Amino acid sequence: MRLKHSDTLNELESESIYVIRETAAQFDKPVMMFSGGKDSICMAHLAKKAFYPGRIPFPLLHVDTGHNFPETLEFRDRFIEELNAKLIVRSVQDTIDQGKISDEVGPGAGRNGLQTVTLLDALREFRFDAALGGARRDEEKARAKERFFSHRDAFGQWDPKNQRPELWHLFNGRKKSGEHFRVFPISNWTELDVWNYIRREKINLPNLYFSHERYVVIRDGLILGWAPFMDLFPGEEVQRRKVRFRTIGDMTCTGAVESPAASIDDIVAEVAATRTTERSARADDKVSESSMEDRKKQGYF
């Protein structure tokens, strides 16, 4: 029998809460990644439900590239306070200052790929043995290869050919010293599921997701939100357009879409009708056919 939509959301919510609770039960020091985007916000909401009326028993970790949208950082601080959770912030700029990585320069420079070193340093610093992330299998073909419990070796690297079976939702979290797992509680959700859940649960989001006017730059067919630290290529000019963002990341690689959708109902209708994935507006995924998989093998989320 085909499930009704409300039943589908209930099933997905139950599955995700089960995965989050299993993570807390199997690992000594888990941490939840938090970007301020809709998927990590939903995941934090699910974690709150998983342990209610108690507090979330692990901290949240934000890797700040230094090129985040200001609206995201403002929302992050309000959300964490309302959630009554512990937040750890580690900065890509600090990693650059320590000489571990070098900042990219010139037009098109970004820090999205640089955050992997900062992330791995943070996991080692606090000895986290599991990091929960909000990635979904429908986002991108490399992410479709992930299990719920995804093993990483002592160097933080992922081998897509060496994954463990997860029959009957039995998860194998055994690891050697120095290794860790990435855990993806909302793997089976789609973008539309996320938006329907946000609507049902009345979850607050950064205003970036809703239609608004802002300064943008058109680059390689993408609409990028402009910021003063972004250099322009010859012929580029800053424009003002009415846009919204389907995904939120580093400003230098996160594209917007022109849209009149100013409410969650509008967005649900828009997402239901679209035939492109939200990551089609991410410049960092267009470097090569295997760009996401290459970054994931190096430790990227």
Side-chain angles (χ1 to χ4, degrees):
M1 182 179 70
R2 188 175 180 179
L3 292 174
K4 296 179 181 178
H5 187 71
S6 59
D7 293 333
T8 301
L9 287 181
N10 289 337
E11 290 283 343
L12 289 170
E13 179 188 67
S14 178
E15 177 182 67
S16 297
I17 287 175
Y18 171 73
V19 172
I20 292 169
R21 287 174 175 167
E22 275 293 297
T23 304
Q26 289 200 36
F27 296 98
D28 295 324
K29 293 197 70 177
V31 67
M32 179 169 282
M33 303 302 300
F34 187 79
S35 67
K38 67 183 188 310
D39 297 325
S40 65
I41 290 168
C42 275
M43 188 172 58
H45 179 83
L46 289 161
K48 181 179 179 179
K49 278 194 160 189
F51 303 106
Y52 184 83
R55 293 180 63 186
I56 298 174
F58 41 73
L60 279 66
L61 171 64
H62 179 218
V63 176
D64 183 356
T65 67
H67 292 169
N68 296 102
F69 291 92
E71 297 95 326
T72 303
L73 299 180
E74 292 168 8
F75 178 89
R76 178 199 70 187
D77 295 338
R78 292 197 309 272
F79 181 80
I80 295 297
E81 183 176 359
E82 293 169 1
L83 194 64
N84 192 26
K86 178 182 178 182
L87 175 68
I88 298 170
V89 178
R90 287 296 178 267
S91 168
V92 170
Q93 184 61 55
D94 289 342
T95 310
I96 293 171
D97 293 342
Q98 293 163 9
K100 295 181 178 180
I101 52 177
S102 298
D103 211 352
E104 296 179 4
V105 296
R111 290 183 173 179
N112 200 55
L114 301 182
Q115 62 184 306
T116 296
V117 177
T118 307
L119 168 61
L120 294 176
D121 281 351
L123 296 179
R124 283 189 288 266
E125 176 186 355
F126 294 96
R127 297 186 178 180
F128 292 129
D129 54 359
L132 296 109
R136 308 186 323 269
R137 293 190 179 116
D138 76 318
E139 289 181 272
E140 202 273 343
K141 59 186 179 183
R143 286 182 167 169
K145 299 178 182 180
E146 294 276 18
R147 300 286 196 265
F148 281 107
F149 276 31
S150 186
H151 175 263
R152 296 298 194 271
D153 65 19
F155 299 99
Q157 296 178 331
W158 172 63
D159 181 359
K161 297 180 180 179
N162 183 25
Q163 299 213 59
R164 300 172 183 183
E166 294 180 340
L167 303 176
W168 307 291
H169 274 184
L170 296 176
F171 303 127
N172 180 358
R174 287 180 294 180
K175 63 191 183 322
K176 298 177 182 177
S177 178
E179 298 176 344
H180 73 277
F181 276 78
R182 306 286 171 89
V183 180
F184 302 102
I186 63 170
S187 284
N188 286 335
W189 297 50
T190 66
E191 182 185 11
L192 187 58
D193 292 328
V194 170
W195 279 110
N196 277 312
Y197 189 71
I198 288 168
R199 178 167 62 179
R200 188 185 84 174
E201 299 290 303
K202 298 179 172 60
I203 299 172
N204 292 324
L205 294 173
N207 59 15
L208 290 164
Y209 283 109
F210 304 96
S211 182
H212 61 288
E213 286 195 358
R214 74 182 306 124
Y215 290 108
V216 300
V217 174
I218 311 302
R219 179 174 295 168
D220 296 328
L222 298 180
I223 305 173
L224 299 178
W226 178 79
F229 57 76
M230 294 172 62
D231 294 328
L232 301 180
F233 284 101
E236 288 184 339
E237 60 180 19
V238 179
Q239 308 175 30
R240 193 165 179 84
R241 294 198 182 184
K242 194 171 187 179
V243 300
R244 76 175 192 87
F245 291 86
R246 292 175 67 187
T247 178
I248 294 177
D250 189 286
M251 288 186 68
T252 59
C253 64
T254 305
V257 293
E258 291 190 278
S259 168
S263 69
I264 290 180
D265 286 341
D266 292 341
I267 293 173
V268 168
E270 185 177 272
V271 172
T274 190
R275 291 296 178 266
T276 59
T277 69
E278 63 211 90
R279 291 197 70 92
S280 64
R282 291 293 293 263
D284 51 331
D285 287 352
K286 299 181 182 297
V287 175
S288 72
E289 286 291 325
S290 61
S291 55
M292 172 63 83
E293 184 162 328
D294 292 340
R295 281 178 286 149
K296 287 176 70 64
K297 288 178 179 178
Q298 296 168 0
Y300 183 80
F301 242 101

